[in-house]
Amino acid sequence: MSLPPHPGIFAAVERQCADTDPTPRLLRFDGATRDGVPLSLVRARQLLYDPSACAAARAALWHQIAERVQGAAEWPTAVVWLGLPGLRKTAFKITWRLRADRGDVEAELVTCYLEALAELGAHDPEPGATVLRSACSRAWDVWRRTRPEAAVGDVETVGGVPFDMNADGPWQADYDPVPSRPGLSATVRITVPAQRVEGVRLGALARSWGLGGTAASVGYSGRGRQVAKISLRRVGRSG
């Protein structure tokens, strides 16, 4: 069973354009006629993302779309509607990887998309790829710069392992993950007692989490900015 659409800007645009067909219509230039064949809005979007369709015809459609941003009342929304299939995957990835608000991500993508259309060159041979790639790249850049920090103070447990919180004075450990990697995206701050201050060393940190008896080895892959890595084995396992 498919999930319902996210109730954001994309869904609102889909609803607005569900039964609209703004004029003047987009034209398909495929060599059959000199003046072009008028297309419905639905058919135009199908052709824009059909890799088997004539590349020149798709390019001509994108150039027409760029001209309609300042068109009649219905066209600006229709222009956004035509770009949604090329923006949805990026909206999902930014939301998931950077823990961003989906509505804000969609708004930023629409803004970047319209900006890219406005900057499109009249003779760009691949306008669709240029516009969508530019819009998605700009949105990624914006959200990487504004990636929020999630602070966690005086936690009693991490992963179900209790800390000894009776000692005097806390110390903090920050985890700042590598950008564009799955998993944790925001900086996580963990506060533990002062007697654990030696935990900045990897072995003591393992003991703070109750894993001192299972730490087998430490390794570094040599790629990127590595904070630390622990290899663990089960207690009592041979080898």
Side-chain angles (χ1 to χ4, degrees):
M1 182 178 68
S2 60
L3 295 174
H6 185 276
I9 294 176
F10 287 8
V13 172
E14 289 284 1
R15 287 194 300 270
Q16 279 188 267
C17 295
D19 300 315
T20 62
D21 207 1
T23 56
R25 288 188 169 188
L26 297 171
L27 302 176
R28 177 177 181 175
F29 295 94
D30 55 5
T33 61
R34 183 175 181 179
D35 298 329
V37 179
L39 296 171
S40 67
L41 201 62
V42 171
R43 182 55 183 153
R45 188 161 85 164
Q46 291 172 346
L47 287 174
L48 288 173
Y49 300 95
D50 181 0
S52 65
C54 173
R58 285 188 290 141
L61 281 176
W62 278 110
H63 284 297
Q64 293 175 66
I65 291 168
E67 295 171 357
R68 303 294 171 91
V69 176
Q70 303 297 331
E74 291 181 332
W75 263 113
T77 303
V79 165
V80 173
W81 184 81
L82 290 167
L84 294 186
L87 303 176
R88 280 201 183 91
K89 183 181 290 186
T90 297
F92 171 78
K93 287 183 177 180
I94 294 176
T95 302
W96 182 72
R97 293 185 182 180
L98 302 184
R99 300 297 187 267
D101 179 80
R102 178 64 180 263
D104 291 342
V105 171
E106 290 182 357
E108 188 64 43
L109 275 167
V110 169
T111 300
C112 293
Y113 167 70
L114 294 175
E115 289 175 349
L117 278 173
E119 297 169 2
L120 183 64
H123 303 291
D124 191 317
E126 296 184 355
T130 298
V131 168
L132 295 175
R133 188 182 301 116
S134 175
C136 294
S137 296
R138 293 181 191 195
W140 271 113
D141 290 342
V142 167
W143 283 100
R144 286 191 182 109
R145 290 196 302 267
T146 59
R147 183 162 56 97
E149 176 182 296
V152 181
D154 297 326
V155 294
E156 296 183 356
T157 61
V158 175
V161 180
F163 282 122
D164 176 11
M165 300 301 290
N166 297 322
D168 295 331
W171 66 275
Q172 289 185 336
D174 289 348
Y175 171 72
D176 191 11
V178 179
S180 303
R181 294 283 183 88
L184 291 173
S185 57
T187 297
V188 177
R189 181 169 296 139
I190 300 173
T191 304
V192 296
Q195 72 180 38
R196 297 283 197 252
V197 70
E198 73 278 9
V200 294
R201 298 196 308 268
L202 194 55
L205 183 59
R207 289 195 298 275
S208 296
W209 286 348
L211 302 175
T214 60
S217 64
V218 176
Y220 174 49
S221 67
R223 295 176 296 177
R225 178 177 173 270
Q226 185 97 22
V227 176
K229 179 178 179 181
I230 296 180
S231 298
L232 303 176
R233 62 175 172 79
R234 296 176 183 235
V235 176
R237 185 176 178 179
S238 61

